[in-house]
Amino acid sequence: MRSSNKFILLILSTITLISLVTESRKTIPSQEKKRELEKLLNHINKPAIKSFQSKHGYILDCIDIHKQLAFDHPLLKNHSVQLKPTTIPKWTRDNNTSQKSTSLPFRQEEDIICPPGTVIIKRTTLEDLIQFQRLESLGLKPTSKDRNDDPPGHYTAVAQYYALNFGGKGNINVWDPQVEPDQYSLSSLYVQGGRREDFETISAGWIGSCYNTLCPGFVQVSRKFPLGSVARPVSKSGGKQYHLEISIYQERLTRDWWYVLKGEPVGYWPNPLFSYNGLAEGADNVWWGGEVFSADKNRISPIMGSGFVPQDDFGKAAYINGLRVIDRYSRKVMMPPAKDLVVYASSPTCYNVKTISRRGEYWSRAIFYGGPAGCTVHSSPLTFTVELVSENVPLGRK
């Protein structure tokens, strides 16, 4: 069974938090397993003050902000909720805006907002739990900094900025790749820090598949944007393009990491969740790009992004534009220098990535990435390249 729902994503390395697109095959668990999962559901789905039925078929609950799942985490038992960040970065646009972006920001299809004092949470279903546990048992795990540790069937195509920072931003083009139940395809902004056992990652974007959104730790504050909500409309090849305007940054005073969508703070990862050598005191690097995973080694890997290779360009290839970072020393928002952006494709014959520099709003620093389905084994040699394609022409023209 196929589904084309697209959701918004959040990931935290060892504390995995994601919200996204579900694509699942009905699985019937044993009665004993079903009872265990139903007990877990009763714990996960907190009592709702008000509920809404989404037109996409799921339920959105308004939960007391102080009683959300985040506070089941042992490190947050006495945590005081931060209703909004005390500082918000001034994310700059490109100076040369003679050509406005032809991409449109994500818009929420349903005008749903929870009452003051509550947060909006997508209700977890039994099928959500079954699907995640199935993927987890087949080898799904968060992105690893050690690429040699990637499981077979996992491929990435990303642009990387290695410098001390306090977060980053990007406009992530939204597509609807078709995936099988034991696969996923995602596009994300990643903020990372630490090495090996101290390695920590937080990211946000979209994914095609079912991912775990349930681990406590992420504190929701938005009454409007739930994790797991459907992102519509999606981009069409040769047609209108849509994007998620996403930023992740570390707030200066509390050192919490905030996730912001379309200018609205959705929530944050409290600083106590992180280690000193990880993300507690800033990040080591920022990545932008795509990932795919297929648990069945005999099945070809799914589409990444739009399914077009980067050379196919705007309107076909997936992109992330408006790349920005917060410099760790000056604390100023800046475009990552072109010479410092390293593009990496784990299997460039299947999926690739390129950076571009163009005239036009947000296009002075951007990437195209992706490719069609087709990889079957994770055996391609690791490839590192530095690339900047300078086309000093308006967006959408050759």
Side-chain angles (χ1 to χ4, degrees):
M1 181 176 71
R2 287 190 180 275
S3 162
S4 59
N5 289 339
K6 183 76 69 257
F7 298 75
I8 297 165
L9 146 84
L10 270 165
I11 309 171
L12 172 59
S13 176
T14 52
I15 306 162
T16 304
L17 280 166
I18 311 181
S19 39
L20 306 212
V21 181
T22 39
E23 143 88 51
S24 63
R25 178 179 296 158
K26 294 295 182 182
T27 305
I28 302 176
S30 67
Q31 287 301 314
E32 182 180 358
K33 186 65 174 179
K34 187 175 179 180
R35 285 193 294 270
E36 290 177 4
L37 292 178
E38 288 175 343
K39 183 177 180 180
L40 179 58
L41 279 179
N42 290 333
H43 172 75
I44 290 169
N45 292 319
K46 304 300 183 181
I49 292 174
K50 188 175 183 178
S51 297
F52 299 92
Q53 177 73 50
S54 165
K55 66 180 181 181
H56 295 285
Y58 54 81
I59 297 175
L60 296 171
D61 291 325
C62 300
I63 307 297
D64 186 320
I65 191 171
H66 299 286
K67 296 180 180 179
Q68 59 182 292
L69 186 64
F71 301 115
D72 287 356
H73 195 289
L75 294 177
L76 302 181
K77 290 298 184 182
N78 299 312
H79 180 74
S80 297
V81 176
Q82 307 298 311
L83 296 179
K84 61 182 180 179
T86 58
T87 57
I88 299 176
K90 295 182 179 179
W91 301 105
T92 59
R93 296 186 178 187
D94 296 349
N95 291 327
N96 188 338
T97 59
S98 59
Q99 175 76 17
K100 293 290 185 181
S101 173
T102 52
S103 177
L104 302 171
F106 150 79
R107 64 176 186 266
Q108 192 176 31
E109 283 191 319
E110 298 174 294
D111 188 21
I112 293 176
I113 187 167
C114 282
T118 69
V119 291
I120 190 164
I121 304 291
K122 177 178 175 289
R123 186 179 298 180
T124 302
T125 67
L126 181 64
E127 185 61 26
D128 292 337
L129 293 182
I130 294 170
Q131 176 67 356
F132 172 72
Q133 290 189 355
R134 181 172 184 272
L135 283 172
E136 187 178 46
S137 68
L138 292 171
L140 179 150
K141 65 177 183 177
T143 301
S144 171
K145 191 171 184 179
D146 183 357
R147 299 187 185 92
N148 294 318
D149 193 35
D150 278 353
H154 180 259
Y155 306 92
T156 59
V158 295
Q160 309 158 319
Y161 176 67
Y162 285 95
L164 299 178
N165 66 84
F166 287 116
K169 184 179 186 294
N171 300 319
I172 303 176
N173 193 203
V174 181
W175 290 87
D176 188 15
Q178 294 297 300
V179 296
E180 297 298 330
D182 58 356
Q183 298 178 326
Y184 69 72
S185 179
L186 68 84
S187 179
S188 188
L189 159 69
Y190 310 76
V191 176
Q192 302 180 140
R195 299 189 180 192
R196 298 185 181 279
E197 66 275 2
D198 295 318
F199 176 64
E200 295 172 336
T201 299
I202 47 180
S203 74
W206 60 258
I207 189 174
S209 184
C210 176
Y211 237 110
N212 180 21
T213 65
L214 308 175
C215 292
F218 180 81
V219 179
Q220 174 91 6
V221 299
S222 176
R223 299 186 288 132
K224 181 179 179 181
F225 292 134
L227 305 185
S229 61
V230 173
R232 281 287 186 270
V234 297
S235 303
K236 301 295 183 183
S237 178
K240 289 183 178 180
Q241 303 297 298
Y242 295 91
H243 65 252
L244 302 175
E245 183 182 336
I246 283 174
S247 61
I248 298 175
Y249 73 94
Q250 189 170 42
E251 205 272 337
R252 188 169 184 174
L253 297 179
T254 64
R255 303 284 185 171
D256 299 329
W257 284 93
W258 280 85
Y259 162 51
V260 178
L261 172 65
K262 201 179 178 182
E264 176 167 331
V266 176
Y268 63 94
W269 296 270
N271 187 264
L273 298 178
F274 304 100
S275 67
Y276 177 81
N277 292 323
L279 289 171
E281 299 294 330
D284 298 335
N285 57 85
V286 180
W287 293 11
W288 299 264
E291 289 184 52
V292 296
F293 174 73
S294 182
D296 186 343
K297 309 311 180 292
N298 297 316
R299 177 178 289 145
I300 62 172
S301 58
I303 286 171
M304 180 187 290
S306 66
F308 286 93
V309 297
Q311 287 72 21
D312 287 314
D313 228 340
F314 184 80
K316 289 189 175 180
Y319 66 83
I320 303 177
N321 67 8
L323 307 188
R324 296 292 185 273
V325 294
I326 302 175
D327 181 71
R328 186 124 167 220
Y329 298 104
S330 67
R331 290 188 174 273
K332 292 182 179 179
V333 173
M334 57 177 281
M335 277 192 297
K339 65 180 179 61
D340 295 333
L341 276 180
V342 178
V343 295
Y344 163 75
S346 60
S347 183
T349 57
C350 299
Y351 313 102
N352 220 327
V353 59
K354 73 173 184 179
T355 60
I356 66 167
S357 181
R358 292 182 173 174
R359 293 169 55 192
E361 189 176 31
Y362 299 121
W363 289 92
S364 290
R365 201 70 75 242
I367 66 168
F368 285 104
Y369 72 94
C375 281
T376 54
V377 292
H378 192 68
S379 59
S380 299
L382 298 181
T383 302
F384 293 86
T385 58
V386 179
E387 174 187 16
L388 176 65
V389 179
S390 297
E391 301 179 34
N392 196 18
V393 295
L395 176 68
R397 292 183 179 179
K398 292 290 186 181

